[in-house]
């Protein structure tokens, strides 16, 4: 896998972050706010199929849906 990429603000992850499988397919995408997961996170398998959706608020998991 290619390491996750996104923006760092004041030493903390912030905004959209993504990571990719070696074949170029997305592993996950989601947002950080002040270094904590925030909002919808989606996870994919190596063929690009959505496998898991999680919802976070200020770093706390508030919901999960396994596809």
């Amino acid at each position: 896998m290619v390491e996750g990429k996104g923006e760092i603000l004041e030493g903390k992850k912030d905004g959209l972050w993504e990571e990719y499988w070696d074949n170029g397919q997305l592993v996950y995408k989601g947002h950080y706010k002040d270094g904590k997961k925030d909002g919808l996170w989606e996870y994919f398998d190596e063929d690009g199929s959505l496998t898991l959706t999680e919802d976070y608020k200020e770093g706390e998991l508030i919901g999960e849906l396994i596809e």
Side-chain angles (χ1 to χ4, degrees):
M1 277 186 268
V2 176
E3 186 175 329
K5 62 180 182 175
E7 189 171 347
I8 303 281
L9 286 176
E10 297 178 9
K12 297 178 182 176
K13 293 179 180 179
D14 198 80
L16 178 64
W17 275 71
E18 299 175 333
E19 185 168 329
Y20 294 88
W21 295 103
D22 290 333
N23 67 4
Q25 292 290 336
L26 197 58
V27 174
Y28 70 78
K29 67 178 177 179
H31 286 84
Y32 280 96
K33 184 176 180 181
D34 294 324
K36 297 177 183 175
K37 289 182 177 181
D38 196 70
L40 185 66
W41 280 70
E42 296 176 316
Y43 299 86
F44 304 86
D45 61 20
E46 288 187 69
D47 70 6
S49 298
L50 182 65
T51 59
L52 175 67
T53 303
E54 296 177 328
D55 194 12
Y56 288 86
K57 183 170 177 111
E58 298 176 359
E60 297 289 325
L61 179 64
I62 58 174
E64 178 177 89
L65 174 65
I66 299 171
E67 298 296 321

